[in-house]
Amino acid sequence: MALQSNVRCNGFWYEEQVTEELLLKMSLTTINFDAESPFQRVQIVTTVPFGKTLVLDDHTQSSQTDEHVYHESLVHPAMLAHGSPKTVFIGGGGEGATAREVLRFKSVERVVMCDLDEIACKMCREHLPEWNRGVYEDKRFEIHYKDALAFLKEWEGPKFDVIIMDISDPIECGPGIGLYFKEFYEEIAR
């Protein structure tokens, strides 16, 4: 059974239906940004319990209170497993926080981030600067606004030491659905 629309701004309350049995409701203080990009609805809101929150297509992606838990857990195991990565590819990662964590490793010489949604990235850069903490000014960082799968297929540079996918949950027929299939991982392993 499909869930109803997940995000409602009801007065000054923010609601998100996580599952059929779980509805989160919290006090909303500010709607910082709310617009449709060519790919998704992008919202940045501020709630009392979680602070600034990035919401894409009616689903919370990260919040000021706990984004570090997600981004550290996403990045550090892969980086440590490699040992001394010099080149890192990030698929998605619009908040810039994944790049922030990657660039904490002194061995890293180049980070290539590829995110489909330029509007979401720019709004995160503007409204969530505490997430990226200056990665856009780091000379080791570069960003491309295009499909990550297409970018990797066209990539003619050296093989990346580490590839990290920081993408939204799969939505059937959504723009990122191809990044969840076995073929994608077989392609990037080459």
Side-chain angles (χ1 to χ4, degrees):
M1 179 175 188
L3 295 174
Q4 298 282 331
S5 175
N6 284 349
V7 176
R8 294 176 207 87
C9 293
N10 180 4
F12 283 91
W13 290 95
Y14 168 85
E15 295 180 5
E16 181 173 349
Q17 181 126 20
V18 180
T19 69
E20 293 279 334
E21 299 81 24
L22 177 61
L23 173 69
L24 296 178
K25 184 174 181 175
M26 60 202 83
S27 181
L28 174 72
T29 60
T30 311
I31 299 172
N32 304 305
F33 182 80
D34 186 356
E36 291 281 338
S37 79
F39 306 102
Q40 59 199 341
R41 184 177 183 190
V42 180
Q43 295 173 293
I44 299 173
V45 300
T46 303
T47 67
V48 172
F50 295 107
K52 292 181 191 175
T53 303
L54 173 64
V55 181
L56 299 178
D57 280 337
D58 302 334
H59 297 282
T60 297
Q61 301 300 303
S62 63
S63 71
Q64 189 171 8
T65 302
D66 59 7
E67 67 79 15
H68 65 281
V69 175
Y70 170 79
H71 291 103
E72 290 172 10
S73 299
L74 179 67
V75 171
H76 292 265
M79 299 294 283
L80 293 170
H82 184 281
S84 186
K86 293 184 183 337
T87 58
V88 178
F89 176 82
I90 300 170
E95 300 115 308
T98 299
R100 174 198 72 211
E101 292 301 315
V102 167
L103 289 166
R104 291 174 70 184
F105 287 81
K106 301 221 182 293
S107 64
V108 173
E109 297 172 358
R110 185 178 189 188
V111 177
V112 177
M113 187 172 108
C114 185
D115 194 296
L116 185 64
D117 196 334
E118 185 173 3
I119 290 173
C121 291
K122 288 184 174 181
M123 287 306 97
C124 287
R125 184 176 182 185
E126 179 181 337
H127 294 283
L128 306 173
E130 52 275 76
W131 265 255
N132 70 67
R133 292 190 197 143
V135 299
Y136 290 92
E137 289 74 39
D138 191 308
K139 62 182 169 98
R140 299 172 293 165
F141 177 77
E142 64 187 78
I143 187 166
H144 302 269
Y145 301 109
K146 69 183 300 183
D147 178 83
L149 178 57
F151 181 88
L152 287 171
K153 283 183 178 180
E154 296 168 6
W155 178 252
E156 294 181 1
K159 190 172 182 177
F160 292 102
D161 295 325
V162 174
I163 295 177
I164 299 171
M165 301 306 293
D166 181 8
I167 54 179
S168 301
D169 291 341
I171 297 173
E172 192 173 336
C173 299
I177 193 70
L179 303 175
Y180 283 89
F181 291 108
K182 179 181 172 186
E183 293 77 17
F184 170 70
Y185 294 95
E186 290 172 344
E187 179 74 27
I188 64 173
R190 294 182 196 157

